[in-house]
Amino acid sequence: MSDTPHRTSYDAALDAVRGYAHSDAVAVREALAGLDARSWTEVYDVLGGLLRSTIGIMELTGRHWKLDDLVRCTDGVSAAAPPHYEFAMAEATRAWARGDQSVMRAFSGRDIQGAAHMSAIGVAVLGLALWGRSGLLAVLEEFRAAADTLAHDPSTGA
């Protein structure tokens, strides 16, 4: 019997965002290592929820970021991605900044691993813009605590 705690898709997703927030390619790789197809889909789903929530908070607070700053920050954060995803993210972000969202949609529709990396980078970049590094890391811990509570709450049927 292993003493290693069971890692969930939430753990992998949050650890990937944390790795990107620190521009730590090793942490990103370790966060997503060994995932099977189902787990990649679950990680992508978690990251999609985080991304939608982060965008929603940005919209609610009225926080805006200049597109050139967004592109520059995305370049820095995505440097922790596997090389082929780093380039794809840079291109997708530049297209998005020009108003072309089709590149991101097309990319996410054909490669679940790439879509997960793209979403994690998006959460990291927008989270850094909203809260800074320490604030983003605190938000990720709050999310983990909420997810753990829901996963182990008998009233939710989980």
Side-chain angles (χ1 to χ4, degrees), residues 10-104:
Y10 284 99
D11 295 326
L14 296 173
D15 290 346
V17 174
R18 187 176 295 102
Y20 278 119
H22 286 292
S23 299
D24 185 341
V26 173
V28 170
R29 186 176 58 249
E30 289 174 354
L32 301 172
L35 297 178
D36 61 16
R38 179 175 172 229
S39 296
W40 274 107
T41 300
E42 291 172 356
V43 165
Y44 175 62
D45 289 344
V46 170
L47 290 167
L50 283 172
L51 186 57
R52 285 187 299 279
S53 296
T54 305
I55 291 169
I57 291 168
M58 282 192 93
E59 290 171 347
L60 284 172
T61 61
R63 297 285 301 267
H64 298 284
W65 214 13
K66 292 188 291 184
L67 289 178
D68 57 338
D69 291 339
L70 175 67
V71 170
R72 230 183 335 277
C73 186
T74 301
D75 286 348
V77 169
S78 65
H84 53 290
Y85 292 134
E86 176 186 2
F87 179 75
M89 188 64 194
E91 291 303 305
T93 301
R94 282 167 175 69
W96 178 81
R98 292 188 307 268
D100 180 2
Q101 295 181 9
S102 67
V103 176
M104 284 196 181

Side-chain angles (χ1 to χ4, degrees), residues 4 12 20 25 55 62 67 80 105 125 127 140 147-148:
T4 305
Y20 278 119
I55 291 169
L67 289 178
R105 271 191 236 104
V125 168
L140 294 174
D148 287 346

